[in-house]
Amino acid sequence: MAMLEMAGLDVAGCLFHGFSDASRLAIVRHLAGGEHRVVDLTAHLGLAQSTVSKHLACLRDCGLVESRAEGRASVFRLAHPEATMELLSAAEKLLGLTGDAVALCPNYGLNHD
C-alpha cells in the first residue's frame, strides 16, 4: 500500500477514534438536535461536568464540534451536522447487517478484556 494511502487511513482512524466512546456518541446525538451548553448535556446524559467537558474537547479537537461563548457559558454544536448524521446513519445500517458480531467481537466487543 502506498505511503499516502496509509497516511489517509491513519487520519481516518483518528476520525473514528473520535466516535469510539459511547459518551461521545451520546453527546453527538444530543447535538444533532441543536446547540447545547455543557450544563444541559450534563443533565441530559447524567455525566459529570468534567467528563462532558473532556469529551467535548476531544470532539472539538477532531473538528467534529464547534463552540461559541454565550455569557459565561460555552454553547456547542456539530461542526458538520449533515455529514455527521450521514456517517452515523451508515454506521447504524452496517451494525444492522453485522448482527451481534460487533458486540461479540473478542477484541472490541462488549465483553472484551
Side-chain angles (χ1 to χ4, degrees), residues 14 16-17 19 22 28 32 35-37 39 44-45 48 50-51 55 59 63-64 66 68-69 72 74 77 91 98:
C14 293
F16 283 103
H17 181 74
F19 289 114
V28 168
E35 296 182 326
H36 286 347
R37 299 174 301 159
V39 68
H44 291 306
L45 301 171
S50 60
T51 302
H55 287 306
L59 292 167
L64 299 171
E66 301 171 330
R68 64 178 175 79
R72 292 175 38 183
S74 292
R77 66 184 168 277
T98 61

Side-chain angles (χ1 to χ4, degrees), residues 11 40 83 87 92:
V11 172
D40 300 327
L87 177 65
E92 287 177 3

Side-chain angles (χ1 to χ4, degrees), residues 9-107:
L9 292 176
D10 286 343
V11 172
C14 293
L15 170 67
F16 283 103
H17 181 74
F19 289 114
S20 69
D21 184 276
S23 294
R24 285 194 292 274
L25 285 173
I27 289 168
V28 168
R29 288 266 180 217
H30 270 68
L31 293 178
E35 296 182 326
H36 286 347
R37 299 174 301 159
V38 174
V39 68
D40 300 327
L41 291 167
T42 299
H44 291 306
L45 301 171
L47 298 172
Q49 184 273 329
S50 60
T51 302
V52 172
S53 293
K54 179 184 79 169
H55 287 306
L56 285 167
C58 174
L59 292 167
R60 185 179 50 231
D61 291 346
C62 291
L64 299 171
V65 300
E66 301 171 330
S67 64
R68 64 178 175 79
E70 186 174 276
R72 292 175 38 183
S74 292
V75 179
F76 288 84
R77 66 184 168 277
L78 294 177
H80 309 283
E82 187 174 308
T84 300
M85 296 318 296
E86 287 175 8
L87 177 65
L88 294 179
S89 177
E92 287 177 3
K93 181 178 180 181
L94 186 56
L95 284 169
L97 294 170
T98 61
D100 293 331
V102 172
L104 297 174
C105 174
N107 295 315

